[in-house]
Every structure is written in structure tokens, then in C-alpha cells.
Amino acid sequence: MDINFIDWLALKEVFIDGTTSVAEYAAQYAAVQTNWVYTFAGIIGITILLLKKNKKWYWYVFILLYVIMSFTSVGMHTANYGEFVPGVLTTKLFMSYIDMSFTEYVAWAGVCCFALEFYPDQKKKRNIFLIAVTAIMLIVIGTLTYEVFVIHDRPLYIGGGGAPMDGKTGGLSLAEFGCFLTALPILYLLVANFKKLTKTERNLFILIILTFLAAFIITSIWGDNEMAPVLLGNIHGHSIWHILSALPIFEVVIWVDQRTVNQKFEKAGLPKM
């Protein structure tokens, strides 16, 4: 496998090499830059929890995975886009494996964190839940591994017409769809514990889900190599996905802080906020 990344400074070469259009170049550059939103959101989120002296270690792990994902995503979007060739293990395909793996870990860790929040004293129920979610995660990672290292391709099965994953159309690969399946149990946790939450906690929880839903819809419509046909093509749908899926970091941090405060009030016999 030849290591091949985009040379962002070689503008003329990118535009005339015959494999990368101006739109593709602009889309990937936008995707790289908006990835730093993940990085800064994660760093700020961890800082807030530290300043609030929050001792729930699992949320730090979750946010740290978010920060790592920001770097793996930069690597994927920087890998030469013209390299997506079905049946060939290219730099782009390999970097997409690393990136999608950490995206799946983030989805898995998020669900695990909420499970630890809602079932701190119900060990049996919590462990069954964690084992089930972990099993889903392992199936997704296994499928991704098979696609990349065995068939050397990641077709867009969902909404992409089975086209090779060239990023030029919307749609989801099995691994991308698997990430959303992994995160789906969060809806169960919300419904099962809805009445136990305060009004503020419920509203924040719903806001987190709606933000991810909006991001999911947008990334399903436009491919990461496609400039959205909005405002004369000056909007990159996948970059909006980056921004919208980084925003919940702040929503989660506020929710965790609110819930931690309420738990302390409850122990002290005080009314929750």
C-alpha cells in the first residue's frame, strides 16, 4: 500500500491532475478544517468537567475518544480522494477504517456512559445492557474489518445504490449505519428512565438526540465529497455534520453536570433542580 495524502499547498497540481476536481478539493479541505471543532469541543468539555470537579471517569473517556476521532477524521479526509478503487487497499480506504473504528467506539462509549448513569446500583441490568451494546460494537467493527481487509471496499449500501464509496453521493456504508444502530439504545434509556429525570435533564437529553438526528439526516443526503446544492454550492453537507455532531459535547457536559448536582441534592435531602 503506497502512502498517499493530499498536498494542500499544491493547488495547481490538485486542480490539473485529472482525478480531483475543484469541488472535491474544496469539500475535503472543508471537512478537514471543521474536524477541529471536535478537537476544541472535546478539550473544552473535559476542562469544564475538571473545573466542576466531576469524578465520573467514564465521561472523560467518552470525550477523549471524541478528541482522538477528530484526528483520525483529519487523516481520512486528507488521504488522496482519487484513491478509492474497489478491490484495492489504498491509503484512503485504510484511513477510513481507522476513522470509522473510532467513530464506532465513540457511539459505543456514549451508550455505555448513559447506562452507567442510569443503572449505577443495578449491576445485573447494567451489565446485561453493556454486554449487548458491546456485542453490537464488535459486530460493526468486524464487518468494517472484513470490508477493508478482505474485499477492499466499503459500498454505500444504504441510500447509495451499492455504488463504490467514492464520496460523491449521499448514503451510508454498513459501518456508518452500524454506528447509528450502536447508539440506538440511547432511545431506550431515555424512555425507560424518562419519569426519573427532572424537566431540565429530560429537555437536555432530548436536545442531544435531536442534534444528532439533524446531523444524521444531513450526512445521509450529501456525500463527504459533494458540495451541497445550497447557496450556489457554497455549503458542504458533511462539514455541517462535523459541526452538529460536535455540538452535543457541550450538551452532554451540561447534562452530566446538571445530573451530578441533582444527585448530590438528592443525597442531601434537598429538592432537585
Side-chain angles (χ1 to χ4, degrees), residues 154-171:
R154 287 180 55 208
L156 297 175
Y157 291 99
I158 315 298
M165 190 182 175
D166 56 9
K168 294 180 181 178
T169 59

Side-chain angles (χ1 to χ4, degrees), residues 18-37:
T19 62
T20 308
S21 69
V22 176
E24 290 172 359
Y25 179 87
Q28 292 311 300
Y29 188 75
V32 167
Q33 297 308 313
T34 51
N35 260 293
W36 301 122
V37 178

Side-chain angles (χ1 to χ4, degrees), residues 151-189:
I151 66 174
H152 304 320
D153 193 13
R154 287 180 55 208
L156 297 175
Y157 291 99
I158 315 298
M165 190 182 175
D166 56 9
K168 294 180 181 178
T169 59
L172 299 170
S173 66
L174 288 179
E176 289 169 325
F177 187 66
C179 288
F180 292 102
L181 288 180
T182 303
L184 206 57
I186 285 180
L187 294 178
Y188 167 78
L189 291 174

Side-chain angles (χ1 to χ4, degrees), residues 106-152:
V106 167
W108 165 76
V111 177
C112 289
C113 285
F114 281 110
L116 290 170
E117 281 285 349
F118 289 123
Y119 305 122
D121 302 318
Q122 298 172 272
K123 291 185 177 180
K124 184 176 181 181
K125 189 172 185 178
R126 181 187 65 204
N127 290 342
I128 291 175
F129 193 90
L130 293 177
I131 290 172
V133 173
T134 301
I136 295 174
M137 181 269 288
L138 292 175
I139 291 173
V140 174
I141 293 296
T143 301
L144 176 63
T145 301
Y146 175 79
E147 286 184 325
V148 173
F149 295 105
V150 178
I151 66 174
H152 304 320

Side-chain angles (χ1 to χ4, degrees), residues 150-220:
V150 178
I151 66 174
H152 304 320
D153 193 13
R154 287 180 55 208
L156 297 175
Y157 291 99
I158 315 298
M165 190 182 175
D166 56 9
K168 294 180 181 178
T169 59
L172 299 170
S173 66
L174 288 179
E176 289 169 325
F177 187 66
C179 288
F180 292 102
L181 288 180
T182 303
L184 206 57
I186 285 180
L187 294 178
Y188 167 78
L189 291 174
L190 174 61
V191 174
N193 298 276
F194 195 78
K195 293 182 179 180
K196 300 177 183 178
L197 300 174
T198 65
K199 183 178 180 180
T200 302
E201 290 174 2
R202 286 198 298 265
N203 291 338
L204 283 170
F205 205 140
I206 293 172
L207 180 61
I208 292 169
I209 294 174
L210 290 179
T211 305
F212 272 119
L213 180 61
F216 170 74
I217 293 173
I218 290 174
T219 196
S220 299

Side-chain angles (χ1 to χ4, degrees), residues 238-249:
H238 194 70
S239 291
I240 297 177
W241 150 259
H242 286 169
I243 296 170
L244 285 179
S245 55
L247 182 59
I249 283 291

